[in-house]
Amino acid sequence: MSDLTLPLVEAACIDTQRRTWLIATGTAGGAAAIATAVPFVASFAPSERAKALGAAVEVDISDLAPGAMKTVEWRGKPVWVVRRTAEMLAALQGQDARLADPQSAKDQQPEYARNASRSVRPEIFVAVGICTHLGCSPSSVPAGTANPSVDADWQGGFFCPCHGSTFDGAGRVFKNKPAPTNLEVPPHRYLSDTRIVIGEDGTA
């Protein structure tokens, strides 16, 4: 091999090595860019919880026994679904004089639930389980309870332990209580006798 050939061979080797290095670096850089881009793009997609917070919620009430209550989450709020008995419905009558807003004149329910039972179907009561005073969570207190925080002739309903607000079985607040309004009735509709969609308007 002549002295002139050696520099050409060395130059070819260097060029090949440089090309290999550039390809390897480019590949690694591309992979890194993809790895970075995937979570970045994914960050634009809402999480399952975020979607659930604003989406309507379907509830199966086929297993809800008379007198029982089921709690589901809608928009980050607890929503009660109560299957009222004939006795619970009868207890809603005759209490108007003791209630702050017995006719639900204020807007705490859709128009189709603006009635004595505050519901689409009298036996099924749907309400947001948050006290309208300071956002505490009331509890269900049945008729005949020994709870000293409610009246002796308590007919059943809901009691907020934070500041003592009481609501009847239709979520109507009693007079002279801290809560300024009745419990909220969310928009809801029936898909069938056993399924309700909370968060969408409609009638049975």
Side-chain angles (χ1 to χ4, degrees), residues 35-202:
T36 304
V38 168
F40 181 71
V41 172
S43 69
F44 286 104
S47 65
E48 288 302 315
R49 179 169 176 76
K51 285 188 288 186
L53 291 180
V57 177
E58 190 172 320
V59 185
D60 181 2
I61 60 171
S62 62
D63 58 347
L64 194 60
M69 180 171 75
K70 177 179 287 193
T71 303
V72 298
E73 185 180 356
W74 172 67
R75 292 189 175 179
K77 303 174 185 178
V79 174
W80 298 330
V81 182
V82 183
R83 186 181 294 277
R84 293 183 288 208
T85 62
E87 292 76 18
M88 293 167 76
L89 287 170
L92 300 179
Q93 308 302 318
Q95 299 204 68
D96 286 16
R98 302 170 64 186
L99 300 169
D101 183 15
Q103 303 305 317
S104 296
K106 296 181 181 177
D107 254 353
Q108 274 75 51
Q109 63 283 306
E111 190 61 37
Y112 50 80
R114 194 183 293 276
N115 48 54
S117 62
R118 300 186 74 223
S119 59
V120 177
R121 298 181 181 180
E123 72 278 12
I124 302 295
F125 178 54
V126 181
V128 175
I130 296 177
C131 181
T132 55
H133 178 219
L134 292 177
C136 299
S137 183
S139 56
S140 176
V141 180
T145 181
N147 189 330
S149 299
V150 297
D151 295 339
D153 62 345
W154 179 251
Q155 298 296 304
F158 308 96
F159 168 68
C160 183
C162 295
H163 300 95
S165 293
T166 50
F167 305 85
D168 76 347
R172 298 177 295 181
V173 67
F174 283 86
K175 289 180 178 178
N176 304 315
K177 299 296 180 179
T181 58
N182 298 337
L183 294 178
E184 177 190 356
V185 174
H188 59 285
R189 65 185 179 88
Y190 285 80
L191 293 177
S192 68
D193 288 341
T194 60
R195 301 196 80 80
I196 300 175
V197 174
I198 296 170
E200 292 182 358
D201 279 303

